[in-house]
Amino acid sequence: MTETLISRSVRRLFAGGGAVGLVLLALPAAQAQEAAQRPIARVEVTGSNIRRAEAETASSVSTVNRADIERSGKSTVSELLQTLAVDNQGSVPTNFGNGFAAGAAGISLRGLGTASTLVLLNGRRMAPYGLADDGQKVFTDLNVIPTDAVDRIEILKDGASAIYGSDAIAGVVNIILRRSFTGTTVRGLLGITEKWDGEEQNFAVTHGVGDPDKDGYNMLLNFEFKRLNDLPLRERASREHIGRIDLRPWGYSAQENLGGTGAIPGANASGSAINGNVRNPLTNNYHNRGNLDAATTGFTRLFPGAACSNFTSHPQGDPGGGCLIDAPLVYNQIQPQQENYSIFGRGTYRFTPEIEAYGELNLYSSKTKSSSTPSTVNANVGYPGGPVSNAAVQLGAGHPDNPYFGTAARLRYLAGDVGPRESDIDGFFTRLLAGAKGTVFDWDYDTSLLFSRSTVKNDRSGFLQRDVAFALLDPDDAVNVASALATSPAYAALPPGSFWRIAESAGLNDPAVYAALSPKINSHARTKIIQGDFKATREFGALAGGPIGFATGLEWRREETELEPTTGTERGNVIGLGYSAYSGARNVFGIYAEALAPVLPELELTAALRYDDYTDVGDNWAPKAGLKWTPSKQFALRGTFARGFRAPSAAENGVGGLAAFSTAADPLRCGLGVQAACSAGNIAVITSPNPDLQPERSKSYNIGLIWDPLPRASVSIDFWKIKRKNEINQELTDVAIANGSVARDPSTAEPGVAGDPGAITAVLASYVNSAQTDVRGIDLDARYTLRLPGGWGNLLFDGKLTYIDEWVRREQDGSERDFAGTHGNCDVTNCVGTPDYRANLRAAWDRGDWRVSLNANYRGPIDNVLFKGDPDGCASVYADGRPAPRNCELASFTTFDLVVRWKPQPAWEVFGTVENLFDKIAPLDPLTYGAQAYNPLDYAGAVGRTLSLGARYTF
């Protein structure tokens, strides 16, 4: 039997070339011919409400089914989706435990951000995660999806606002769970790294009763548990640069903020040392407290116990005399500790052959525990009231640990005695759906009511209260003491004049000092969606190619979002912790229609139109049109045009604000000769919501071809472009700095430099419809199945590649930046970058009870510049001034995963995976702050080789 586009489409939808396809291949010729003559099932494909026989529509849809998921070796949906070639900059990895949206995972199609990728569950929305990524981008948490309940995942790779409304600018990820199941399946999996750490435990039970065709009902229930132990960076100290901030062995300089925590890079500048660096009140030069050369430092007291060697064995050598440690390596994690529970239930009951009722229940509980470096005492913060500079924190004249005893002196201290900063995140997700579907007067209808809610609580410890820290370090300052007495009952209970003893004297502190200095703080977040919808579809008349398909529908939903600020951040009182809070609610009404016209047997036209009305931002019309031409059974051309939109989130146009951190150079001070200002340093960015924001709007174009050059072989190529305007962004940090929208600390001005205004403490910005983004590229999808002679089974070769040719952001002033293949856009990606090539390759062998797959995941090279043609040149340099790394380019990165599955008995299946088979180390990346010295995209190369073994029993 020669496979045609139609049979291939249905095969790919339901089998992905997997188990069902192999069963058909194994059928005797007569049975295969009989199967081919049966009516082809009509299905609804993501991106359309019209049921059809072909999975390949005018739109580009990639299907990942259960066979593909099993072949991938990934144990969760989030892990699978974030390795796909279509995922790019702006995605949220689960292992980013210290980010704004810690504890969740999100996907970003086309690199346009999680907020522009709509994630659906069984074709309907879910409540977004309670915490917005970067405090701005609201997204759906992929972790809530129960892996064993997944039937398939459909990824629509062009705009879909005409069908689904807001948020589908970059595309749609529709996760389709099992609609019915009979029997019981128990699955267990244990995983561990080659270093015997980072243990994973994964357990699932799925039970179903009732045959929908015979009994008229089906009930299924799925329970899953997953635990992932934390993986400290210090356990990867043997993996070269992984996790290190001290990159001197790789050619970097301590004066480039890459020489270890605690360095003294220049005049009137200092990192925070574990034993304290203190500024000479007369010269403004910093010296380490362990320095015993009073003639050089001007110390009036010496502290032999503060010797750097008493705190660390880390190699020293800072030219400025600081005490160096590698704080991220000591305190941070590659992955946080996580524990998740989920329940999914679905029931269907057929009242008559034409009427069926259904209901769904999703419950998901997650606990995430992450840690990071101890707080410094001088990190600047911001809140909606303005920037808060902590640069002036000092040891009082009478502080017993002050080497300039008798005179107050500024302090730069890493509070190792307080301990690491820790976050305990508890999340709970609920989704309830009740609906009915059937047929009346030749119309197929589907209607439902949906309730979905996400709550997140974040308890933090190890963070310093500004007023208490300032008062305990300098009790002689009446303003500091008065502020602490007014706001902290725990401080008021301390004896008057209490000190916070630091470094070698920390053991003298009463526990009550730490209770006042670093109390537990927390925040709460809630999101909610209530939705009602109705849709109907039928066929009319007949054209040369068949009947006309038509669908129409309407929906109403209520969206509510609230994030309370973390305790103390509402007044800028938590050192080093930004402010994030927002609140908003709105009602949305939408109505839409869609038509499919097979005007010729080989030509079909599609069109859709949707109208949405938002109570906060007004209305929007979103059209879409498509064409598919099939001149032969082996070849088809397709194309679509669509308009899309994204309504601003409550974080962007509600009530609240954001004070976060970024990195930037200071061209003004750099031009005056302050060398330290020429390199990117940490700054606070204070961003205010804007109730006048308009929705983002987009145009997307897709032209592609589908070709079956050989039996059981298929190739699809799609050329796509997305133009997004009215883009909602924080004002670019470097543009705001150039425009002078900054706050500075004059006391940090370098002596002898005329006109030095002092270091930037904060950049003042707001959310604005400021930019337009043009993204274009190519998707390539190829698959070939080869039947081996002599009963040796089948070989499957599968490849997916996404190439981003252009990722240009244009500002209102006409300036533009192309981020494709570079380390930008740092304002929205933690400087993860925008690789122009990503690919997934697979070679699989199936024979009888054995299935073996070798998967390759490729990330292309990244130029270490902030954007193409950056006049500042390479974003990092070696100590000798050469561009870094490796001529200013991050090397490409490829990992291989081996997956083996074996069914020794019909009821049993045993499976195992070796991820990062060749134990490849992630390339050194000095710029990203989403991970330490490696790119988060290369997470597998930080962890190293990982092993897992599991089994499934069905009865």
Side-chain angles (χ1 to χ4, degrees), residues 331-652:
Y331 295 101
N332 284 11
Q333 301 164 305
I334 294 178
Q335 67 186 28
Q337 177 180 301
Q338 301 170 69
E339 188 172 288
N340 307 326
Y341 301 84
S342 73
I343 294 175
F344 168 68
R346 177 178 171 87
T348 60
Y349 184 78
R350 189 170 296 167
F351 292 97
T352 70
E354 291 79 23
I355 301 176
E356 178 181 292
Y358 60 88
E360 295 177 359
L361 168 69
N362 295 81
L363 300 174
Y364 172 79
S365 173
S366 66
K367 296 182 181 295
T368 304
K369 185 179 182 65
S370 64
S371 68
S372 62
T373 57
S375 178
T376 65
V377 297
N378 63 297
N380 300 317
V381 297
Y383 71 111
V388 177
S389 174
N390 294 318
V393 63
Q394 62 184 16
L395 293 171
H399 195 292
D401 299 323
N402 184 358
Y404 296 103
F405 193 77
T407 306
R410 287 198 175 186
L411 174 68
R412 299 293 181 260
Y413 176 55
L414 183 71
D417 58 305
V418 176
R421 289 171 288 182
E422 296 183 340
S423 293
D424 292 307
I425 301 173
D426 288 348
F428 194 82
F429 172 81
T430 305
R431 180 178 178 269
L432 295 168
L433 178 73
K437 61 182 180 179
T439 303
V440 58
F441 300 119
D442 296 326
W443 286 87
D444 294 332
Y445 67 87
D446 190 348
T447 183
S448 71
L449 292 174
L450 169 70
F451 172 84
S452 185
R453 184 180 183 184
S454 172
T455 60
V456 181
K457 180 183 179 184
N458 191 352
D459 293 321
R460 303 176 188 254
S461 61
F463 291 81
L464 305 181
Q465 297 292 297
R466 180 188 190 275
D467 48 16
V468 175
F470 274 53
L472 289 173
L473 292 172
D474 186 9
D476 299 329
D477 190 313
V479 174
N480 292 339
V481 172
S483 176
L485 288 172
T487 58
S488 173
Y491 175 80
L494 296 174
S498 293
F499 291 107
W500 169 23
R501 304 298 301 274
I502 66 171
E504 76 283 0
S505 302
L508 301 176
N509 290 318
D510 188 281
V513 169
Y514 290 116
L517 179 66
S518 180
K520 296 278 188 180
I521 55 178
N522 59 70
S523 65
H524 295 80
R526 292 170 287 274
T527 65
K528 182 168 66 176
I529 286 180
I530 302 173
Q531 176 177 299
D533 63 67
F534 176 87
K535 63 181 179 181
T537 180
R538 66 162 293 176
E539 294 180 341
F540 292 94
L543 298 176
I548 299 171
F550 179 77
T552 186
L554 56 86
E555 68 180 48
W556 171 90
R557 68 178 182 271
R558 170 75 173 176
E559 300 176 349
E560 298 179 6
T561 304
E562 181 182 16
L563 171 63
E564 300 172 0
T566 301
T567 314
T569 60
E570 75 282 354
R571 55 191 183 93
N573 195 51
V574 183
I575 295 176
L577 183 60
Y579 172 90
S580 181
Y582 42 81
S583 178
R586 63 189 175 201
N587 296 328
V588 183
F589 172 78
I591 186 170
Y592 56 88
E594 181 187 2
L596 183 153
V599 294
L600 296 171
E602 65 275 5
L603 178 66
E604 74 173 36
L605 304 178
T606 58
L609 180 65
R610 181 182 176 108
Y611 170 80
D612 286 279
D613 182 70
Y614 285 71
T615 54
D616 58 341
V617 293
D619 58 8
N620 183 82
W621 290 91
K624 183 173 182 177
L627 177 151
K628 182 185 174 187
W629 178 46
T630 311
S632 72
K633 294 181 178 180
Q634 286 75 37
F635 186 79
L637 294 174
R638 64 187 176 192
T640 59
F641 166 77
R643 291 183 181 270
F645 75 104
R646 182 180 77 85
S649 68
E652 296 164 328

Side-chain angles (χ1 to χ4, degrees), residues 264 270-271 273 275-281 284-289 297 299 395 401-404 407-412 502:
I264 300 175
S270 174
N275 60 347
N277 292 330
V278 183
R279 191 176 77 165
N280 187 321
N284 285 346
N285 290 327
Y286 280 87
H287 301 281
N288 188 259
R289 289 180 63 255
T297 62
F299 286 172
L395 293 171
D401 299 323
N402 184 358
Y404 296 103
T407 306
R410 287 198 175 186
L411 174 68
R412 299 293 181 260
I502 66 171

Side-chain angles (χ1 to χ4, degrees), residues 140-151:
T140 301
D141 180 15
L142 299 173
N143 289 331
V144 306
I145 307 301
T147 306
D148 272 32
V150 173
D151 180 69

